[in-house]
Structures are given as C-alpha cells and as structure tokens.
Amino acid sequence: MTVMAWDRRTFIAGTGAGLVTLLAGCVGDDGGGDDGGGDDDGGMDDGEGGDSDGDDTGGDDTGGNGGMDDMNVGMVYATGGLGDQSFNDMAHEGIQQAQEEYGLEFQNAEPDAPADVGELQRNFARSSDPDFDLICCIGFVQETDLVENAQEFSDQNWMIVDAVAQTEEGPLGNVASYVYREHEGSFQVGVLAGMLTGMDYDHGGGSTNPDQQMVGFVGGKEIPLIERFEAGYQAGVQHVSEDIEFTSAYAGDWNDPATGQEIATGMYDDGADVVYHAAGGTGAGVFEAAQSEGRYAIGVDSDQSLSASEFSDVIVASMIKRVDTAVYGSAGNVYNDEFQGGQINDLGLAEDGVGAVIGQDFEGELPSEITDELDSTRQAIIDGEISVPDNLDDL
Amino acid sequence: MNRADLERLLDRLVDATVLERVVISFASLLFAIVVGGVIVLLAGIPATCRDPAFVFAGREFCYDPIEMYLTLFEGAGAFGSLTNLGLTLQETSVLLFTGLSVAVAFRAGLFNIGTQGQMVLGALGSALTIVWVAPSLPENVVGTVVIVPLAVVVATVIGGLYGTLPGLMKAYADAHEVITTIMLNFVAMGIAFYLVRNHVGDTTTDSVQTTPIPDFARLPPTIDGTRFSILVLLFGLAAAIALYLLYERTVVGYDLRTSGLAPEAADYGGVNAKRNIVASMTLSGALGGIAGAMYVLMVHYRWETDMPPLGFDGIAVSILAGNNPLGVIPASLLFGALKGGSLQIDFALGVPPELVEVLRGLIILFVAMPEFFRMIGSYAGYGTDGGETDG
C-alpha cells in the first residue's frame, strides 16, 4: 500500500476552485475552538511562509521565532491502524506536514488492540531519549487510558482526537482535546446523497437507478460516535425528501473490508444508489462494492477520492474531518510554545473542522442544484437555522 | 519420505526423553528466529521507507532483522530493563491461567477452545462486581482484602459455569466440545458487548467499556512504572503446582484423566465418567475466569471490548507445555516475552506490527509443532507404550 502522496497545499489547489464556499478558510486554520479565539494558531495561517514571518536574522530555516529545537512528537494511533486511507492516515498526514513545517521528528505507534493503547502512551511518556514534547492520541479508544496517564505524567503535553480528556474536576490541564461535530458534515453528504438518488445521473464508474430512491450507511462499530455520523447523514437525506428509503448496517470492525463489501453489495442489490461509510479501513470494501455494482459511495475522514484514488470513479464525495489540522495545529502550538492544555476544541462546519468535499472525478460534474443546495444548507447550519441531530433518538 | 519413515519418526518423537524434548524445543526456537529473520529481511525490499536499514547490491533493505531481534529481547526485559521485564511477567502471569485452563481440559482428553470466552465473561463479572460493590467499602487495605478475593471468586464461578455448559453438552448430548466452545466464544463476546454497550457500561465514553475500578481494588504494582504484581505470578505458580499434584498424585486427578480418555473403561472401573467430563470442563472454565479477573485487577483496571486473545494464546501455551501443568510455566514465560518484545518493536522500530505478528506466529509454530506431532503420534498409538498424552 502506498502512502498518500498529497499535501495540504496541493489538496487545496486541486479542490479549491469549485469548493471555495465549502472549504473557505480551511487552509492553515487549526480551528482554535469555537469560542472565536483564533489567536492561538501561532504561525499557522501562513501555510506557505512557514516561520518566515519571524525576524529573519539568523540563517536558521527551522528555528523561526522562538521555535523549539529538536522537537519530538509521539503518535499513538487508533486500533484501525495506518493504511486505513481514512482516519489514522489523516492524522499521519497532519504530523508529516508538521514535520516539513517545523523540522520536528515523530515516532508512530500502532496498537494491536485497545488493551495496548495505555502501554504505548506510557512508553512515550516514560521515554527520555528522546524526550517527547507532545504525544498525540488518535481516537476515542485512548480516552480512559489517557485520563489516567495524563495525571500520572503531569508534565507531559498530550493531545487527543475524538474525546475530551477530563475528570470530575474538569478538563486536564496538560491535554488539548479535539472533538468534531461529525453530524454536521454528515448532514451535508446526506443532502448530496438524497438529491443524487432522486436524479437520473450517470458519470464516472457508476450511475443511479432512477426508479428507486434509496441510500445506505455502513458504520464501523455501533457506538455513539458513529451513530452521530449516521444521525446527521439520515437527517440530511430526510431534509431532501422523507420518501427516500434509508438502510444502515454496522460491520463490527474498523479493519474488515470483506464484511464492508458484503454489506454494501447487499445494499446496492436492494436498490441503493449511494452508500456512505464511517468505518475506517472497512470502507475500502464499500468502495469495492460500488465499483463492481456500478453505483456510488461517499468516503469519510479524508478526501478518499485522493487517499483511495483507485476508487475515485465512484467516490462522489467525502465527509472530511480535519484530524490532520488538529495534529498539525497542536504540534505547531507546542513548537511555538503556545500549547493550549485544557482547551476543548469543538469543531464543526463553522470552524471547517468537518465538511463535504466533492470527489476528484466529480469535480464540476455534479448538477449545480446539488452544489447550490450544499452551499445553502451549510450556511443554514452555521447560522443555526438547521439544527442537526447528533444521535439517532433525536431524528 | 515414505510411510514407514514417517511412522519411525513418530515413534522416535513419542519416545523422546524430557531432555531431548527440551533440546528439540530450543533448536526449533533458533530455527524460527533464523527463518523469521530472513522473512523480515526480504519484506524490507519491496517496502518503501525514508532511511533504509542498509543498502546491499543496489537494493534497499528497510528492516534490519538483527536490530529487530535485539529490540525484541530488550522489550522482553532480557537486558535488565525492569519496566520491560514487568511487562513480560505481567503477560506471563495471565497466560499461566489461560494455559492451565486449556491444559486441564487436555489432560481429560477434552479440547477446550472456549477459554477466551470464559475469560471474557470472568473479566466482565469481576469488573462489574468491583464497580458495584466498591462504593460501599472503605478505600483502604480492608477494602482491598475484601474486594479482590470477591472479584476472583465471582470470576471463577462465572467462568466455571460457562465451562460447565459445553461439558454438559459433551457428556450428556454427545456434542463435540471443540464446536460448542468455539461457538460459545462468540456468544460470550456478543453478550458482553451488548450488556456493556447498552446496560452496565460507562456511557460517558464512546468506548465499549465499564467504569475503571477504584485504586484500592487494583493489585499493587511490584515494579515501578509497570502494573505487574508479583501476587498474580505467585498465585499462578501455586495453581500450576497444585494442578500438577492433583493429576499426578491423587485419585481424583486419575479419575478425571481416565474419564475423558477412556470413558468406557472409567465407567467399568466404577467412575462416573460423564460427571468427570463436566467437572474437567468446569475446572477449565474456572481457570479461564480467573485469568479474566487477573486481567482486570492487574492489567487493564476495567473491562473493555476486544480483549486481547490471551485465551487463544493459552491453547498454544498448553500445546507447547505438552499439557503438563508444570510445563505451562516456561511456555507462558516465552509467550509473555514475545508479547513484551513485540510491543517494544511496535514502539521503537518502523517494522509493521503485522510482520511482528508473523514472527510471533513462526516461533509458536516451530516450537509447538514437535510437541503437537508428539501428541498426535501418542494419541494414534505410536511409540513404545502408546497411550495417553502425558507430560
């Protein structure tokens, strides 16, 4: 499996044109919280310039203004592991960007099972050669262990994605937490799927079945986080029309493409035109099914028409979740000595933490009524005119 | 090689002395290390990496097998790092119980694949007992002395009952225990997941897990910076010795063995074979349940879905030990060391964890196979005195 070969800048250049409204301001915004405190992003807004905004007195090209020398970051990934072309790879992408930008070093650790997560965290925290300036904990699975380890290693800086590290006394002061309102981005792709299934559309490696209006959802594990994706998606579909059939299933695993393919093939056979997955590595099977059935799929976490480019002819869109920016941003904050310990970053559409991005092969190929509608629902969600449910009970 | 050669080989293997078997095991270990090293070396050619370990004949080799083995041994605590040693012994202690669980069933001629499920339910039972009972106990040594044994007893009972089930099906309905125990593993995991996810778990997190157990219910770590508790290791060693004595020195142990291996003969000799089959499976399940309790009390401090496959590893431990309770001790040490070592490789080297799994699998395969064939050979009546699969 090849490592994704795109960086933030080419990504923006490639998708920017048609998506200005969807991704506006995404570049270099670390989404420093929804409290409008955008002043914590240090040297980040100048993606191109790096630290050249500092006084260029020395010839030092990594030092910048007060930047840290020999910075080391430890990365503990979620159990799906690297190569999922999705969540974990997105985090990996973020730390690679930070490596380029700040000249830092990082070390990856991939747990085999949830039980190993705590030990890997402790390994990084204990290490003195090198001494890790930041440990990134990717995924909710790390929460409980992190809460314990962050208290035991209280001088260590940590960051966690998809959970808030807190005790009864409040957020831990040495952990920056990043959570996402995935339901908002999922609503957007739900609108897209709902509109597409109602149309007679034929492009790329698939086409819709005009006789039947049906969309599907494939989740990884049946947990509240993933149900948030499903709830938002279903709400988006219903926003288009209450008559659209909706089917959903869970694979029970983050890294089981075979089951993903089995489930998705069943859905396409039943008449689904579009299937959205929130299942990490399992999603590759959904794309596989879409290709062989000649239907469409929606990716998750990263722009999967790029990260899983062999399926770009059926990946009509992806619900991106900017885990990379969270990792990149927190590393930058540590680098610039502005680490935001204890801060809870709650990122949604308004902060560009999540959003719908059209697939590479479908850029400019979708009917303008869809893209226009996406623009308007996005704005309506940001303005609070549409309230997106974050669990299935509120649908 | 013709059939006669093969039969001669099996005869030879079955007749091997203890010393010969130890030598065979060590030779297999060495052989596995060499083969594994070659695989790691070759896997490094097609892989892409930023700084290859070395370049030879114009080819980039991404992984250095020697460095990897050094890391493996270092991670296993072989080079004096107390933290790493702690991790190895922690794993060893739990494997002692799962290994004994499988071995106990094997001694009665029963193949219990269900240790994993018995362990999962035992762990859940002990975690929930602690979470529910702890608030009414004082948070001091008194609380510890009450709650730790209570958690172990609950896990033993739950694991035991869950082992009784396939035992009953085997004894009275002639349902093969391999099939039923495999099925019951899935049932156990499904029940546990459902209960924790929907009813008894910690609903404040996205993980499917119980609330962490309070500090006073955690076994005190013996080595700073690790969670290893010598109490569990001692308990496990005592259990191994006790079981050895039970099977080798007591009438009960003899009855348990014969009931599984030759039920008709046992019945003829006035032993209730069916009841003994159930008893063997119950004992096996109880040990699996204890392993679960140890995992909660010492390793994870909570129950969480996707428990590590300690129960399945127990099968390999038991085979490697020739199903001898005393042999389980060194066998679990080897497996514990492999676990500690592979975690260190995950952490320190760019070698993908899957490759480390391959390595682990190779070592298990190579070391366990001679014993495995010996068992099969003995079972099929080869060797000078044929007969049972004793240690």
Side-chain angles (χ1 to χ4, degrees), chain B residues 124-157:
Chain B
L124 180 59
S126 62
L128 289 178
T129 305
I130 294 171
V131 168
W132 287 335
V133 175
S136 53
L137 288 173
E139 292 184 19
N140 54 29
V141 179
V142 179
T144 311
V145 171
V146 174
I147 206 158
V148 170
L150 180 67
V152 175
V153 168
V154 169
T156 312
V157 171

Side-chain angles (χ1 to χ4, degrees), chain B residues 300-318:
Chain B
H300 210 46
Y301 300 155
R302 63 179 189 273
W303 187 92
E304 185 171 7
T305 183
D306 288 334
M307 271 181 82
L310 291 158
F312 296 123
D313 289 348
I315 299 171
V317 166
S318 178

Side-chain angles (χ1 to χ4, degrees), chain B residues 138-204:
Chain B
E139 292 184 19
N140 54 29
V141 179
V142 179
T144 311
V145 171
V146 174
I147 206 158
V148 170
L150 180 67
V152 175
V153 168
V154 169
T156 312
V157 171
I158 292 179
L161 287 176
Y162 207 64
T164 309
L165 204 59
L168 288 172
M169 290 193 266
K170 166 82 177 179
Y172 297 102
D174 214 17
H176 202 288
E177 77 280 2
V178 169
I179 309 292
T180 52
T181 51
I182 289 178
M183 297 296 193
L184 286 170
N185 279 337
F186 292 107
V187 174
M189 290 178 219
I191 290 176
F193 186 94
Y194 168 78
L195 284 178
V196 174
R197 161 84 173 76
N198 295 299
H199 297 295
V200 294
D202 178 357
T203 46
T204 61

Side-chain angles (χ1 to χ4, degrees), chain A residues 188-267:
Chain A
Q188 288 288 91
V189 293
V191 169
L192 188 153
M195 293 183 75
L196 203 61
T197 188
M199 290 175 177
D200 191 357
Y201 183 76
D202 188 349
H203 178 72
S207 60
T208 59
N209 170 7
D211 302 330
Q212 197 177 358
Q213 293 192 33
M214 182 173 178
V215 300
F217 174 82
V218 177
K221 290 196 174 168
E222 200 162 0
I223 54 168
L225 172 74
I226 300 302
E227 287 177 353
R228 204 147 72 217
F229 286 80
E230 185 185 349
Y233 178 61
Q234 198 175 349
V237 174
Q238 283 173 358
H239 178 80
V240 176
S241 162
E242 295 280 347
D243 298 332
I244 300 170
E245 283 179 74
F246 185 88
T247 171
S248 120
Y250 285 79
D253 201 300
W254 304 115
N255 205 355
D256 184 1
T259 304
Q261 182 171 6
E262 207 174 292
I263 294 173
T265 303
M267 289 176 172

Side-chain angles (χ1 to χ4, degrees), chain A residues 107 126 144 148 221-222 227, chain B residues 197 209 218 225 306 347:
Chain A
Q107 192 176 320
R126 267 197 304 255
T144 311
E148 294 198 353
K221 290 196 174 168
E222 200 162 0
E227 287 177 353
Chain B
R197 161 84 173 76
Q209 62 183 28
R218 301 174 182 192
D306 288 334
F347 175 70

Side-chain angles (χ1 to χ4, degrees), chain A residues 137-154:
Chain A
C137 303
I138 311 302
F140 65 84
V141 72
Q142 318 225 9
E143 179 187 355
T144 311
D145 290 305
L146 175 59
V147 168
E148 294 198 353
N149 288 331
Q151 293 178 81
E152 186 179 338
F153 300 93
S154 54

